[in-house]
Amino acid sequence: MAREFEVRREQDLPATPERVWDAVATGTGNLGWLYPMEVEPRVGGKVTRGDGTVVAWEPPSHFAVRAAQGDGFSNTLTYRVEPADDGTSRLHMGIHWVHTGTVDDTWQWDAKTDAAEKHVDFYQHSLAAYLSHFAGRPAVYVKASRPEPTDDPADFAVLRRRLGLRDTSAVGDRLSLDVPGTDGGPTDLVVDWLDPDFVGLRGPDALYRFFNGSTWNVPIWLAHHLFAEDAQEEPATEVWNAWLGGA
């Protein structure tokens, strides 16, 4: 018997449909808020993330990608963009999983669906932050992680303290952080997302995202989007891996 899972979200975005389209349907745009995903711009075109295929391409209103695995699993990601009267947009997005194979304990269906739903909310928030503060600026994507998984929430609590967060910290708070790999002293950051699973910080030239692996028994990791003109992926990845390893 097939198992299915869906996430549907709607959000108003402070950008034209064309700008939203560039953010969700192009490789350059994805670097600014999501992860590296190059898109061949046509129905039937290839998508580098998950060996996907473009199944809808109607700029700037409808984009969809489908990826399938040999074990009977498929994932369809869909974006529909509607213009608003004031030059902004309304985005309808969704993911749809179908699994026709055997779903056993090794597949961890409940953990994966929980992770998917929570990550969707975090990424969609990052999309709005990108469009509000960095739209159109070239981005460098940095990903780093600890080598081992964890199931201990205390590990992420330590990371939060290293970032300067307190138990009473909240979205909208400001903090100063000596950002690894940068010169010139502490950087002023804004807390733009904060819950047990994720930390989001925004600086003048970056979105810093931290992921709590203990929730799903995977390594703690980070994904940053750097917009400074001198940002470089390899040096930034190296220093952030070292920072994670120093916790």
Side-chain angles (χ1 to χ4, degrees):
M1 181 178 178
R3 297 188 72 171
E4 296 188 49
F5 168 74
E6 282 190 295
V7 177
R8 302 290 177 188
R9 296 290 185 268
E10 296 182 9
Q11 64 186 133
D12 294 318
L13 293 172
T16 64
E18 290 77 15
R19 182 69 82 182
V20 175
W21 177 270
D22 287 342
V24 303
T26 71
T28 300
N30 284 321
L31 290 176
W33 65 280
L34 188 60
Y35 39 65
M37 187 173 77
E38 293 294 333
V39 180
E40 187 180 357
R42 63 179 179 85
V43 172
K46 291 300 179 183
V47 177
T48 56
R49 185 81 174 187
D51 194 25
T53 302
V54 176
V55 294
W57 184 266
E58 301 171 19
S61 59
H62 184 200
F63 171 56
V65 175
R66 184 176 185 273
Q69 297 177 3
D71 61 356
F73 172 78
S74 69
N75 175 25
T76 302
L77 169 66
T78 304
Y79 296 102
R80 292 186 180 272
V81 187
E82 297 177 351
D85 293 338
D86 59 356
T88 61
S89 304
R90 184 148 185 88
L91 177 66
H92 305 259
M93 72 79 58
I95 62 172
H96 182 202
W97 290 6
V98 178
H99 201 308
T100 58
T102 301
V103 180
D104 56 20
D105 291 341
T106 63
W107 219 86
Q108 298 179 321
W109 179 266
D110 290 342
K112 288 182 177 180
T113 55
D114 177 70
E117 188 151 18
K118 291 176 178 177
H119 280 70
V120 163
D121 289 335
F122 190 41
Y123 281 128
Q124 294 308 115
H125 168 79
S126 292
L127 171 60
Y130 165 68
L131 290 170
S132 296
H133 300 280
F134 305 109
R137 292 175 60 176
V140 170
Y141 177 82
V142 172
K143 181 178 180 179
S145 69
R146 295 186 185 170
E148 300 296 332
T150 178
D151 59 4
D152 187 353
D155 291 340
F156 200 60
V158 171
L159 180 146
R160 288 168 55 120
R161 288 195 294 272
R162 293 184 68 204
L163 292 172
L165 294 167
R166 304 178 300 275
D167 292 342
T168 57
S169 293
V171 170
D173 288 355
R174 308 188 76 90
L175 58 87
S176 292
L177 179 68
D178 286 316
V179 177
T182 62
D183 299 321
T187 300
D188 185 34
L189 305 177
V190 177
V191 180
D192 73 323
W193 186 284
L194 190 61
D195 68 19
D197 301 311
F198 310 101
V199 170
L201 305 175
R202 188 184 73 247
D205 292 306
L207 293 173
Y208 302 101
R209 271 66 185 114
F210 302 85
F211 299 76
N212 181 6
S214 71
T215 305
W216 304 285
N217 195 24
V218 298
I220 290 174
W221 63 288
L222 58 82
H224 297 342
H225 312 274
L226 310 181
F227 303 97
E229 292 184 0
D230 60 349
Q232 299 181 49
E233 179 183 355
E234 289 189 14
T237 301
E238 183 177 343
V239 297
W240 278 106
N241 269 318
W243 187 89
L244 283 176

